[in-house]
Amino acid sequence: MDAVLTPGQEKPPTSPPCAGIVRPARRPPGWVAPGPRPVTPPDRPELWPASGEDLCYLAGDFRILQRVDGHRWSADDLVTAWFAAELTAHAPPRLTVDLGCGIGTVLLCTAWRFPDARCVGVEAQELSAGLAKRSVAWNGLESRCTVRHGDMRDPANLEGIGAPDLVTGTPPYLPPGTGIESSRVQCGPCRFEHRGGVEVYFEAAARLLAPEGVFVGCSAARQRDRVHQGAEAAGLEMVTWMDAIPREGKTALFSVYAARRPGSGLAFEEKPPLVIRGADHRFTASFNGIRRAMGIPVI
């Protein structure tokens, strides 16, 4: 159902005939989406889902295009975006960069949390970059959000961006050959390090970051030593770490962390683990708090 509108709010856009799927909102009665609202261009039918794609709600009324059979946004994207937003809320970033932005999940969530920020995504997979560009346009963000199709390992693909206050990245977790790669479109490079792993993200972040900027990343929980070594090799220092546990009683599945340039004066802080689901398989109060902070209704 559509959100209940308050005075001054525009009605969410109605989809034109399209070959893909427009997912309906799942919201409690009377719930109104917080944050900025999308302004979808009325004369661009190519922004709506094509065959094999769907358009899904993300943060507030912002939506994202995804392949039905491809890479889709998940909890690690959401937690990374939230973690980054919480760390920088005291001094909202003016410029953000999402490295390896994929279909644009963290990029869009950051743009939603910081409506005055300019946001840039860099993505090597042409299909994913194309979806992210269309999602940016669908939400009416082209005046302040851009997606660059290119490999972050090539400094030329980072030229002219500027010095961001916030850099984010959700690197693939698995070295090639350590598992069976999915044949689903996009999924292999999203999970396996075809173009390098966390070290590549640290190197790119170090090339970009403003002097007081922060890099927020995500990794497999078992990669803690590798993450610390990658930060040190890139000339950055770790300042924060938080494990994410998929369900009460399980071991940590992924971790989010922050790094800065040396000299920040901040002591390293280990935050209590985030438990996503309780023993009853329901979302915990902590994870529901993250959902609320990122404009997702708790049903």
Side-chain angles (χ1 to χ4, degrees):
M1 63 183 178
D2 288 335
V4 176
L5 303 182
T6 58
Q9 286 187 316
E10 299 176 2
K11 185 178 180 180
T14 301
S15 62
C18 58
I21 303 168
V22 178
R23 303 288 183 186
R26 297 176 63 244
R27 296 171 170 178
W31 187 86
V32 177
R37 295 178 64 82
V39 182
T40 308
D43 55 349
R44 296 180 62 182
E46 78 278 6
L47 302 183
W48 292 84
S51 178
E53 298 174 352
D54 59 3
L55 181 70
C56 302
Y57 279 87
L58 182 62
D61 276 330
F62 278 16
R63 300 198 222 181
I64 187 169
L65 288 159
Q66 306 179 101
R67 287 286 308 177
V68 174
D69 61 349
H71 180 68
R72 302 177 67 81
W73 76 271
S74 57
D76 52 357
D77 299 314
L78 179 65
V79 174
T80 300
W82 166 81
F83 198 69
E86 293 298 305
L87 286 176
T88 56
H90 67 286
R94 296 160 296 177
L95 172 62
T96 76
V97 175
D98 188 36
L99 298 170
C101 72
I103 59 175
T105 307
V106 176
L107 177 74
L108 292 169
C109 286
T110 303
W112 179 84
R113 276 291 296 257
F114 299 114
D116 294 324
R118 182 166 69 90
C119 305
V120 180
V122 182
E123 171 56 38
Q125 288 200 79
E126 184 176 5
L127 175 58
S128 295
L131 285 167
K133 289 178 181 180
R134 288 167 58 210
S135 292
V136 164
W138 190 95
N139 288 290
L141 300 172
E142 287 179 303
S143 64
R144 66 182 183 94
C145 295
T146 57
V147 176
R148 294 188 176 194
H149 173 221
D151 192 323
M152 76 181 80
R153 294 175 297 179
D154 182 352
N157 291 322
L158 305 179
E159 288 181 358
I161 291 178
D165 313 291
L166 172 64
V167 176
T168 53
T170 53
Y173 299 166
L174 302 172
T178 59
I180 299 174
E181 294 197 30
S182 171
S183 60
R184 295 169 64 189
V185 64
Q186 305 166 288
C187 291
C190 289
R191 298 169 184 168
F192 288 81
E193 299 169 0
H194 289 194
R195 298 178 179 88
V198 64
E199 297 83 1
V200 170
Y201 284 70
F202 274 118
E203 290 166 6
R207 286 198 295 268
L208 289 169
L209 273 176
E212 302 298 322
V214 59
F215 170 58
V216 174
C218 177
S219 74
R222 63 181 179 277
Q223 292 182 337
R224 181 184 289 243
D225 289 344
R226 186 177 168 189
V227 170
H228 280 267
Q229 292 164 8
E232 183 178 2
L236 302 176
E237 62 180 14
M238 299 292 296
V239 293
T240 314
W241 185 279
M242 185 182 76
D243 287 332
I245 297 170
R247 193 173 79 242
E248 184 180 342
K250 299 288 186 180
T251 58
L253 178 63
F254 66 89
S255 305
V256 287
Y257 50 83
R260 296 179 181 267
R261 298 194 186 281
S264 67
L266 298 174
F268 179 78
E269 179 185 10
E270 176 102 17
K271 292 186 177 293
L274 167 70
V275 180
I276 295 176
R277 292 182 184 271
D280 59 359
H281 296 261
R282 298 178 64 85
F283 289 141
T284 63
S286 295
F287 189 65
N288 277 333
I290 291 174
R291 289 166 59 88
R292 291 188 185 95
M294 299 306 296
I296 300 174
V298 176
I299 300 174

